[in-house]
Amino acid sequence: MERLSRELPYGVELFHLRPDGGVLFADREGARVLGPREEFLRFIDDGKFAHYFIGDAQTSPDRPSNATVKLGVVGPRSAFTPHAHGGEHFVLSLGHASCGVYDAPRGRVTEIRLFPGALIRIPEMMPHSFANRGRKPLHILAANTGFGVDHEDYAITAKEAERRGAEEAVPVGRHGLSSRSVGTDFGLLAAALRDIERVQQVRGIGSTTVRERFAAGLRRAASALERP
């Protein structure tokens, strides 16, 4: 990366997301390892971090950049607190992950196992929780429409939904769990988020299979051979 940095035009940035969870960064000024104490911000929960590519933590409908795009780092064997976003959400997993989502029409939590290169789209106000099934830090690329992490509607947890539900009663949208612009039943939202929490407590966040661990080892070996 240090050698490559000397070849980069000014303004061009290069990121290497290593299979071991490290992030190398290079620009014309040189190369270095990115870490949580430098270019990363807290990402909803402790032990999870985000580096913004587009937008920032203060992005909102009142301070728009249309979307936020960020690099996220999820600690080994950990999951985000179940939540719902005010805007739609795209996550590209670069490792072995899972996403528990609440299926409102069926009234149940669906667990979706993700693998390196899997991209998942989650509609606005759909309760979900993203988890790292592996034993090394997990890299994700996350894009959210309209909201940065500092906005009150970026990640609505069960506790926050219960607080809002106690303060106001608003009509329910035609899909059951709808955006605030249509009207959100925060009681239903809180119950769905609590369901995901219970599933996580009973089933855990899942683990990697022997085949997946073998593939991860091959991927680390390939990365060592491919990089300059």
Side-chain angles (χ1 to χ4, degrees):
M1 291 286 281
E2 186 67 41
R3 182 177 61 81
L4 284 174
S5 71
R6 296 193 292 269
E7 305 297 327
L8 296 175
Y10 283 108
V12 174
E13 298 177 342
L14 182 65
F15 295 81
H16 179 207
L17 313 181
R18 301 188 308 194
D20 64 3
V23 181
L24 298 181
F25 169 82
D27 61 11
R28 189 63 175 271
E29 303 301 321
R32 65 184 184 277
V33 176
L34 297 188
R37 295 184 180 179
E38 298 175 2
E39 292 83 0
F40 284 83
L41 301 175
R42 186 174 183 272
F43 192 8
I44 301 179
D45 292 316
D46 292 337
K48 300 170 182 66
F49 308 95
H51 177 84
Y52 280 80
F53 294 133
I54 298 176
D56 55 38
Q58 288 79 43
T59 292
S60 72
D62 298 324
R63 189 175 180 274
S65 59
N66 297 320
T68 61
V69 179
K70 51 194 173 292
L71 167 65
V73 181
V74 185
R77 304 286 305 144
S78 68
F80 285 97
T81 300
H83 57 272
H85 296 293
E88 64 180 341
H89 187 213
F90 298 82
V91 178
L92 171 64
S93 174
L94 300 181
H96 297 104
S98 65
C99 188
V101 295
Y102 187 78
D103 187 339
R106 294 176 178 173
R108 70 185 188 193
V109 178
T110 298
E111 194 74 18
I112 303 169
R113 291 170 69 90
L114 301 174
F115 48 86
L119 173 68
I120 187 169
R121 173 183 177 269
I122 302 171
E124 63 181 84
M125 298 305 287
M126 177 172 282
H128 66 280
S129 177
F130 198 86
N132 177 8
R133 295 187 286 118
R135 298 176 182 176
K136 294 184 179 295
L138 168 72
H139 294 136
I140 62 174
L141 295 177
N144 293 71
T145 56
F147 299 91
V149 294
D150 284 353
H151 194 276
E152 63 178 1
D153 287 342
Y154 176 80
I156 303 171
T157 63
K159 183 177 180 180
E160 173 62 15
E162 289 165 349
R163 184 191 68 80
R164 296 188 189 188
E167 290 181 350
E168 60 182 11
V170 295
V172 183
R174 61 187 180 90
H175 296 299
L177 298 174
S178 58
S179 65
R180 296 186 72 186
S181 60
V182 177
T184 299
D185 186 323
F186 287 106
L188 282 179
L189 177 59
L193 291 167
R194 294 299 186 193
D195 279 350
I196 297 177
E197 290 179 355
R198 282 190 288 272
V199 168
Q200 286 183 343
Q201 291 170 357
V202 173
R203 300 180 189 171
I205 61 173
S207 60
T208 54
T209 64
V210 172
R211 188 170 64 177
E212 287 175 330
R213 291 194 292 273
F214 180 67
L218 293 176
R219 194 170 295 108
R220 288 192 292 272
S223 176
L225 291 171
E226 289 171 342
R227 65 175 179 258

